[in-house]
Amino acid sequence: MILDVGQIITQLGKEKGIDKGIIIDAIKEALESAARKKFGANKILEATYDPETGEFEILSFRTVAEDITDPDTQMTIEEAQAMDPEAQVGDSLGERLSTKDLGRIAAQTARQIIMQKVKDAEREVIYNEFIGRKGEIINGIVQRYERDCLIIDMGKAEAIMPPSEQIPRERYRQSDRIRAYIKDVSKTSRGPEILLSRSDPRMILKLFEQEVPEVYEGVVTILSVAREPGFRTKIAVRSRDRDVDPVGACVGMKGSRVQSVVQELRGERIDIIAWDEDPAKFVCNALQPAEIIRVLVNESEKTMEVIVPEEQLLLAIGKKGQNVKLASKLVGWNIEVRAEGQVEDALKRAEGLFAKKPDADAAPPPEGEGPGDPPPEGETPAASQAEAGAPDAEGGDASVSAPSEGTPSPAVPDEGEGVKEGDGSPKE
C-alpha cells in the first residue's frame, strides 16, 4: 500500500469538502469488493484502516468448529490454536490477506468504487450547501444556452434557468455575470439540480432586502408583490414604526435605493404602494397616479368598480392594461375601471328604460276643451273609460256615470300640479 495514504485522504477531503471518514469507508468497501472477487464470495471479509500507519488491511474471518462443513467460513481447533493458543470452539479468528494479490481487475474495480463513492459524497455536500441557500440571490457566470435554457456556473456546481424563469428580451453572452434567485434545489441521478429564476416575484423582495436596511431589519414589510417580468412591478409596503415612511424608505434619497433595483432588473418599472386596511383606499393607492372619483365595492364577489375622469381612463388602465391588472393582483380583488361620462350615460339609459312612455295612440283633445278648461254651461264632462271597449258584468259597454256636483273630474289635474307642454292644453 501507499505509505502516505493518510495524507492523500486528508488532502482529498479538503479539496472536495468531504469528511475524511466518508473517504475511508469508501476505500474499505472497495477493498472488500475486490477481495471477494479474488478469494471467493463466500468468505467473511472485513477491511480495516490504521490511522497511525495509514495502512489498510483485509481480514478473512473463520469460526472454530469441530465438524468442518464450509472451509471458507470454518476452521479446525488445531488451526485456531496455531494462530491463538487460547482459541476455543465457537471463536471467530481473522487472518490477514495480502492486498498485493488482488490483481489488476480487482484493483480497477476498487478504483471505480472509490471514485463513485467520492463523487456521491461530493454531490451530497453540494446539495446540503445549496438547499440551505434556497430563497437567496446568488451570483454566477453564464456558461452557455442549451435548448433556450441558461446554464450558469455557480463555482462548485452548475445551475439551470429555463425560459419560463427568464425575463423576456433579456439575453446574455458567455462569461457574463448574472444575479438570480435560487428557486428550488432537488436531487437527481446526475447530482443536485439547482433551479434559478429572474422572473420570480420573490426576487424583488430579496433585492429590496439588500438595498433597504429597514426592509432587512423588518421595520418596513413588503406585504404583496405583483409583477410583469421585464415591464412593471407593484409592491405594497407597510411600516411598523409610525416615524418611518415605508414608501420613502424604499425609494431612498433621490430615488437611489429603488434605482439600484431597477438597474439590476434592466429598466423594469417599479411602483411602491402604501398598504391600507381599507380595500377601497388600497385600490386608490394601487392605481396611482390616476385620479379616482369613487369606488363601488362588492364584498361578496370581491369585485370593485372604480370611477375615474374621462381624461384619466387610459392612465388608470395603463399600457396594455398593465396598471389595472397589477393593481388587481396586488389587492387580490377583481377591478373594473370606468370613465365618469360612461357611468352617467349608463344611468340615463337605465332611467329611460324604466320611465313611463306616453300613449302614442291616444287622440289629442279638441281645441278649447283641454283638461284645464271648464265644461260649457249645462254640460257635464264624461269620465274616461277604465278600459276602452271592455264589456261590463252584464255584457254591455262599461261606462262611468257623470260625477256628482262638487266632485272633481278625473281629467282635471290636482291643485299644484302642472300641465306638460304638448298635452293639448291651451297656450297663453
Side-chain angles (χ1 to χ4, degrees), residues 75-226:
M75 67 171 61
T76 61
I77 186 67
E78 291 79 7
E79 292 176 332
Q81 289 180 350
M83 298 172 58
D84 183 4
E86 297 180 359
Q88 299 179 359
V89 175
D91 292 345
S92 180
L93 302 180
E95 300 176 83
R96 183 181 301 175
L97 301 179
S98 175
T99 56
K100 296 180 180 179
D101 299 333
L102 293 179
R104 182 178 59 84
I105 297 177
Q108 289 180 353
T109 303
R111 179 175 176 272
Q112 292 176 357
I113 293 174
I114 294 172
M115 291 180 63
Q116 185 62 39
K117 289 293 182 181
V118 170
K119 189 176 293 184
D120 293 343
E122 185 180 4
R123 289 174 176 174
E124 189 69 22
V125 169
I126 294 173
Y127 174 80
N128 293 333
E129 177 182 347
F130 284 97
I131 193 65
R133 302 181 66 180
K134 182 179 177 181
E136 296 181 3
I137 290 181
I138 195 169
N139 297 324
I141 299 176
V142 176
Q143 291 293 311
R144 63 192 180 277
Y145 277 96
E146 286 186 3
R147 297 179 181 177
D148 294 332
C149 294
L150 197 60
I151 308 300
I152 301 168
D153 182 14
M154 312 292 292
K156 294 182 178 179
E158 285 188 348
I160 185 172
M161 186 186 297
S164 59
E165 303 297 336
Q166 300 174 25
I167 295 178
R169 300 181 299 181
E170 196 175 69
R171 300 292 295 178
Y172 291 90
R173 297 179 180 178
Q174 189 176 7
S175 301
D176 284 351
R177 292 192 171 273
I178 187 173
R179 296 178 72 190
Y181 176 81
I182 302 179
K183 189 172 184 177
D184 193 18
V185 181
S186 58
K187 288 183 177 180
T188 65
S189 58
R190 297 176 297 176
E193 184 178 89
I194 305 169
L195 180 65
L196 300 184
S197 175
R198 279 181 61 83
S199 63
D200 196 290
R202 289 171 289 186
M203 184 175 180
I204 302 290
L205 190 146
K206 290 298 178 180
L207 288 174
F208 273 98
E209 283 185 0
Q210 294 180 357
E211 297 294 338
V212 183
E214 290 84 355
V215 176
Y216 180 78
E217 294 170 1
V219 178
V220 175
T221 307
I222 300 177
L223 296 179
S224 60
V225 179

Side-chain angles (χ1 to χ4, degrees), residues 328-390:
S328 180
K329 289 182 181 179
L330 193 71
V331 179
W333 290 57
N334 187 19
I335 301 174
E336 191 172 335
V337 180
R338 295 183 184 274
E340 185 180 16
Q342 296 175 353
V343 176
E344 292 179 355
D345 293 343
L347 290 175
K348 289 180 180 178
R349 288 194 299 269
E351 291 176 357
L353 291 175
F354 291 100
K356 185 176 181 181
K357 297 181 180 180
D359 190 358
D361 298 334
E367 292 185 5
E369 298 184 5
D373 296 335
E377 187 176 353
E379 296 183 7
T380 56
S384 61
Q385 294 181 352
E387 290 185 12

Side-chain angles (χ1 to χ4, degrees), residues 385 387-400:
Q385 294 181 352
E387 290 185 12
D392 57 4
E394 296 180 359
D397 292 339
S399 62
V400 180

